[in-house]
Amino acid sequence: MPVDPPVHLLPCALGDLFAQANENGYITLADRYGLMAAIFDDSLQEYEKRSIDRLIRAIYRGRIKVIDEISAVV
């Protein structure tokens, strides 16, 4: 049975994503994949888990939109 490689996030990746989403008011497709990878990271700190929860709550309440673009870089 194949073993999936462990997920390793870049340092401060979640904090940067959270700040960018709050500033821009949206997350991209790449951001969503980053969040999915973060959820499977067993080494997340408690503050990182709370950041993910706040971001998901903001999306649910409509304060942050989800767009279907790969990246916001123009």
Side-chain angles (χ1 to χ4, degrees):
M1 183 155 102
V3 177
D4 293 329
V7 175
H8 296 287
L9 299 175
L10 295 172
C12 301
L14 287 176
D16 291 344
L17 172 60
F18 187 69
Q20 181 183 14
N22 281 313
E23 181 179 325
N24 297 334
Y26 61 85
I27 64 170
T28 65
L29 183 61
D31 297 333
R32 292 189 309 201
Y33 284 122
L35 284 173
M36 285 192 302
I39 290 169
F40 293 111
D41 187 352
D42 293 333
S43 66
L44 282 181
Q45 301 294 321
E46 188 62 33
Y47 73 92
E48 293 171 315
K49 293 176 185 177
R50 286 194 304 264
S51 291
I52 292 171
D53 289 344
R54 285 194 303 270
L55 187 56
I56 291 170
R57 194 175 305 118
I59 292 168
Y60 177 76
R61 292 183 177 166
R63 291 191 305 248
I64 295 178
K65 304 292 181 208
V66 179
I67 62 173
D68 285 331
E69 294 179 18
I70 300 253
S71 175
V73 177
V74 183

